[in-house]
Amino acid sequence: MYFRHSNEMWSEFPELVPGVLFAEGISADAIVTDRIVSYHATAAERLAQGSESEMPEIQAWRRSFSKMGLKPTQYRCASEALLRRFRQEGSLPQLHPLVDLCNAVSIAFAIPVAVFDLAKITGDLEVRHAGGSESYLTFSGETEHPEPGEVIFADTIGQAHARRWTNRQSGRSAVREDTKSVLIVAEALHDSASADVPHLIGMIAAELASVWSVEARSGLLSRSSPRFDLSSAMNLQPEQKRG
């Protein structure tokens, strides 16, 4: 099993910087309330200096959404949507400790962070253009079919686990109480992304170690090294992972 972006995606968005983490041993009984406070404070401080639409991280995604033929104020990347809600309400909904933590990190960095339940993904996962036959399950249980050419996260059997790239994840692979193994993906396109994404990934890895006592395997992808192999990590014995 691997995660990657298609060659076409790298050709169209050469500025892309993706960071990936794989972790096993996640549980829903962790307490992260105190840990997310500092991330929310960072986001609040940034928002005090200007709205989320003025942040370079968000502006880069807005340009990319426009390039994909999407109206940026109608379809927002996940981090912009979270920042907008945080600005308006002063908080974010509590869903699952890992999702809450990653959402907090996302608004602190203004970078989209997706968390997938690996048990709900069949085969490999690729960020690519839709062919039109893929199926997407909404959180309300309805099935949709992404438009041909739309950027999606697609697995081997054509299940779309996110639509419009970083706009909306699927209910199919959403993290729930029984989730154990996860793939976490952060993607950025702004000028300092090559420094910001590794920092973000490192912070999430540290949180995973502190809260769940798990050692995540992480990687940074590029056009010359576009593939993150999960099979090797999943086949490691516990003592090998600790080493």
Side-chain angles (χ1 to χ4, degrees), residues 99-147:
V99 176
D100 298 346
L101 186 59
C102 287
N103 282 347
V105 173
S106 178
I107 63 172
F109 282 84
I111 292 174
V113 178
V115 189
F116 301 98
D117 184 337
L118 281 175
K120 306 301 171 56
I121 295 173
T122 302
D124 305 320
L125 187 63
E126 183 177 36
V127 182
R128 62 168 174 81
H129 295 285
S133 62
E134 298 86 356
S135 64
Y136 170 89
L137 185 68
T138 69
F139 277 84
S140 62
E142 298 176 356
T143 298
E144 299 176 350
H145 297 284
E147 296 290 331

Side-chain angles (χ1 to χ4, degrees), residues 13-157:
F13 302 94
E15 68 274 30
L16 173 65
V17 180
V20 189
L21 296 102
F22 162 75
E24 294 179 291
I26 300 302
S27 63
D29 59 355
I31 299 175
V32 298
T33 307
D34 292 341
R35 308 191 74 89
I36 67 178
V37 170
S38 62
Y39 298 115
H40 284 189
T42 298
E45 183 177 346
R46 294 195 67 182
L47 287 169
Q49 300 170 13
S51 72
E52 65 277 0
S53 63
E54 299 174 17
M55 297 179 184
E57 300 90 343
I58 302 303
Q59 290 179 344
W61 275 110
R62 284 191 168 203
R63 289 192 295 272
S64 296
F65 272 47
S66 294
K67 187 176 180 179
M68 292 188 292
L70 300 173
K71 188 176 180 181
T73 54
Q74 181 178 1
Y75 299 107
R76 307 174 193 273
C77 74
S79 55
E80 180 178 1
L82 287 171
L83 279 163
R84 190 166 183 260
R85 182 165 187 172
F86 182 74
R87 173 173 54 80
Q88 294 173 343
E89 302 179 9
S91 63
L92 294 176
Q94 294 184 348
L95 305 170
H96 179 285
L98 179 58
V99 176
D100 298 346
L101 186 59
C102 287
N103 282 347
V105 173
S106 178
I107 63 172
F109 282 84
I111 292 174
V113 178
V115 189
F116 301 98
D117 184 337
L118 281 175
K120 306 301 171 56
I121 295 173
T122 302
D124 305 320
L125 187 63
E126 183 177 36
V127 182
R128 62 168 174 81
H129 295 285
S133 62
E134 298 86 356
S135 64
Y136 170 89
L137 185 68
T138 69
F139 277 84
S140 62
E142 298 176 356
T143 298
E144 299 176 350
H145 297 284
E147 296 290 331
E150 180 182 326
V151 177
I152 60 173
F153 281 65
D155 67 15
T156 301
I157 64 172

Side-chain angles (χ1 to χ4, degrees), residues 109-207:
F109 282 84
I111 292 174
V113 178
V115 189
F116 301 98
D117 184 337
L118 281 175
K120 306 301 171 56
I121 295 173
T122 302
D124 305 320
L125 187 63
E126 183 177 36
V127 182
R128 62 168 174 81
H129 295 285
S133 62
E134 298 86 356
S135 64
Y136 170 89
L137 185 68
T138 69
F139 277 84
S140 62
E142 298 176 356
T143 298
E144 299 176 350
H145 297 284
E147 296 290 331
E150 180 182 326
V151 177
I152 60 173
F153 281 65
D155 67 15
T156 301
I157 64 172
Q159 297 177 134
H161 296 277
R163 289 197 63 181
R164 304 178 194 92
W165 200 350
T166 56
N167 171 240
R168 190 171 297 278
Q169 285 187 234
S170 168
R172 187 184 306 279
S173 51
V175 171
R176 305 189 189 280
E177 287 193 3
D178 60 347
T179 298
K180 302 299 180 185
S181 301
V182 296
L183 176 70
I184 302 173
V185 180
E187 298 162 292
L189 301 135
H190 59 286
D191 290 344
S192 60
S194 59
D196 295 338
V197 171
H199 187 196
L200 180 155
I201 292 296
M203 294 192 79
I204 294 180
E207 295 289 3

